Amino acid sequence: MSPLDLLLIALVAVAIWAVVELALTIRRARASVDEVTKAANETIEQVQPVIAKLDGAMDDLQPSIKQVDPLVEKAGVAVDQANESLRRVNGILGDVSTVSGTAAGVTEAVNKVAGEAANSVGAVVSRIAGKPAQGEAKHLEPAPGTEHEDDAPRNRGYVTYGEAAADALAEAEDEQDR
């Protein structure tokens, strides 16, 4: 035998060994694929009931989801109505402030007119009686807790009693001058 024959025999032996190794590797790979397939099938079998339950839950939630939009709309309408009511209350409170301020002004004007009338009557009585006038009638003091225009700082944003009273007093003086 020549070295070439020995080399060929060695190559054939290596080729047979490679084929056997390839067959064994394919056999092991097939076993591994079978194990992975079994594990995947078991996982799918375990997940299917969970998916079925989630589908049922989603079916149960569909009517609720459809009701959310009308509820949000109703809540928006309720908020709008509450805002409108608050605007109306604010207007009413502004009117009450104006009316009470005007009432305070009218009270002060009436107090001044009554004082002047009392002074006039006192002067007439003094002339008739021939006695000198004893002084002017005193103005009534405001109730405790009320503010005078001079005592309180003026608030330019809202009508206050002092502003309304000053306006009413000015109107009363204009009417007296006429």
Side-chain angles (χ1 to χ4, degrees):
M1 282 216 208
S2 72
L4 192 58
D5 289 335
L6 286 174
L7 186 61
L8 277 172
I9 293 174
L11 281 176
V12 170
V14 168
I16 291 172
W17 177 77
V19 170
V20 170
E21 282 295 320
L22 184 64
L24 290 173
T25 304
I26 290 173
R27 191 175 197 189
R28 284 188 213 133
R30 191 180 323 153
S32 296
V33 168
D34 285 342
E35 285 180 30
V36 169
T37 304
K38 282 181 184 179
N41 286 337
E42 288 175 6
T43 304
I44 290 172
E45 288 174 6
Q46 291 173 355
V47 169
Q48 283 179 343
V50 173
I51 292 173
K53 287 180 182 179
L54 287 176
D55 284 341
M58 287 302 294
D59 291 342
D60 291 344
L61 287 176
Q62 287 299 329
S64 299
I65 290 171
K66 289 178 183 177
Q67 292 176 356
V68 168
D69 287 336
L71 287 175
V72 169
E73 274 185 39
K74 288 179 182 178
V77 168
V79 167
D80 290 342
Q81 289 175 348
N83 284 337
E84 181 62 28
S85 295
L86 288 175
R87 278 190 222 107
R88 288 180 185 162
V89 166
N90 192 19
I92 290 169
L93 290 176
D95 291 345
V96 167
S97 175
T98 302
V99 167
S100 60
T102 303
V106 168
T107 301
E108 191 171 320
V110 167
N111 187 16
K112 184 176 179 182
V113 169
E116 289 176 6
N119 287 339
S120 298
V121 168
V124 168
V125 169
S126 296
R127 286 185 195 158
I128 293 174
K131 294 181 182 178
Q134 292 185 358
E136 296 183 358
K138 295 182 180 178
H139 288 285
L140 295 176
E141 291 298 318
T146 59
E147 298 177 355
H148 285 293
E149 186 176 326
D150 299 336
D151 297 335
R154 296 188 94 178
N155 184 353
R156 300 286 178 201
Y158 297 96
V159 175
T160 62
Y161 293 117
E163 290 174 353
D167 293 342
L169 184 60
E171 288 178 16
E173 288 176 357
D174 287 344
E175 287 181 21
Q176 283 181 351
D177 290 341
R178 291 184 202 165

